[in-house]
Amino acid sequence: MQRREVLRNFALLAGGGLLSGTTISILNSCNSPGKKTDGQLFSDTQQNIITELADVIIPTTSCPGAKAAGIGPFITMMIHDCYPEDVQKDFIKGVDDFSASVKKRFSKDFISLSSQEKIQAVSQLRDQALAEQKSPEKKTNFFVLTRDLTILGYFTSEIGATQARQYIAVPGRYDGDVTLKPGQKAWAT
């Protein structure tokens, strides 16, 4: 089984319930990827922006956030290995457009912003994505793809599965109907 096929199947099984239809249809394209570029697809600056953006989406709270779970490198690996070339180009353009927008609005780059400024920048990006989803023209949205891959990567990571959710390494039996107590974390296994 090819790595690409394994990733696609794992992503569909693990995160199918969490992902948007757009992301699932793009993951299905893993069967016939477009022409790939050799070497690095993302610059270090782009990688850092994606990592920080994921950490705004899932910040550190009572458990570690997306950055601690390694979600930035996960997202770039997924984009590089599982998405067709046209989606890769749209995603990279989305990173660059977001970076330019932040520099114009705050007069500094996304990495240098305070936590509150990062939340404001990502909130604006989210609002733009919501407005674009209402348009009849459907295309790959940088924020939606980043959000979906952040959720998928985080809740399938060791940190997400064992610290953000309830986890028992060897549960013993399957019980599909467990009542949760108020405030209890969802089960990872």
Side-chain angles (χ1 to χ4, degrees):
M1 185 176 285
Q2 298 289 327
R3 177 180 174 197
R4 186 178 319 277
E5 187 177 341
V6 171
L7 284 172
R8 182 184 65 87
N9 291 339
F10 181 73
L12 290 174
L13 286 173
L18 302 172
L19 304 176
S20 70
T22 303
T23 303
I24 290 173
S25 67
I26 291 172
L27 282 174
N28 283 332
S29 70
C30 287
N31 287 333
S32 56
K35 182 180 174 186
K36 301 291 183 191
T37 57
D38 292 332
Q40 296 289 335
L41 188 60
F42 297 95
S43 69
D44 289 343
T45 301
Q46 292 168 331
Q47 177 67 64
N48 290 337
I49 290 170
I50 293 164
T51 298
E52 290 296 323
L53 179 57
D55 206 52
V56 171
I57 294 171
I58 301 181
T60 297
T61 55
S62 60
C63 59
K67 189 187 293 184
I71 301 308
F74 170 80
I75 291 171
T76 55
M77 180 273 301
M78 289 292 287
I79 296 294
H80 184 268
D81 290 352
C82 289
Y83 287 82
E85 189 174 347
D86 59 328
V87 175
Q88 292 174 352
K89 287 179 180 175
D90 287 346
F91 188 84
I92 291 170
K93 183 178 182 318
V95 174
D96 293 340
D97 289 349
F98 174 64
S99 178
S101 169
V102 167
K103 282 181 185 170
K104 183 177 179 182
R105 181 175 175 192
F106 296 99
S107 300
K108 49 187 170 179
D109 61 38
F110 184 65
I111 306 300
S112 302
L113 297 178
S114 69
S115 296
Q116 192 60 38
E117 289 171 330
K118 286 178 184 173
I119 291 171
Q120 290 173 5
V122 174
S123 294
Q124 182 180 10
L125 185 63
R126 181 202 60 214
D127 293 344
Q128 290 170 348
L130 291 173
E132 286 180 15
Q133 286 184 331
K134 292 178 182 173
S135 110
E137 182 184 333
K138 299 292 180 193
K139 61 180 186 177
T140 303
N141 183 285
F142 162 68
F143 176 76
V144 171
L145 193 51
T146 303
R147 178 202 63 197
D148 290 352
L149 288 173
T150 298
I151 293 169
L152 172 66
Y154 186 77
F155 287 107
T156 55
S157 72
E158 181 178 350
I159 287 175
T162 61
Q163 297 181 39
R165 292 193 168 183
Q166 293 282 339
Y167 177 77
I168 297 176
V170 182
R173 64 181 174 89
Y174 175 76
D175 188 352
D177 186 18
V178 177
T179 304
L180 296 177
K181 299 171 191 162
Q184 180 182 354
K185 296 176 184 176
W187 286 96
T189 57

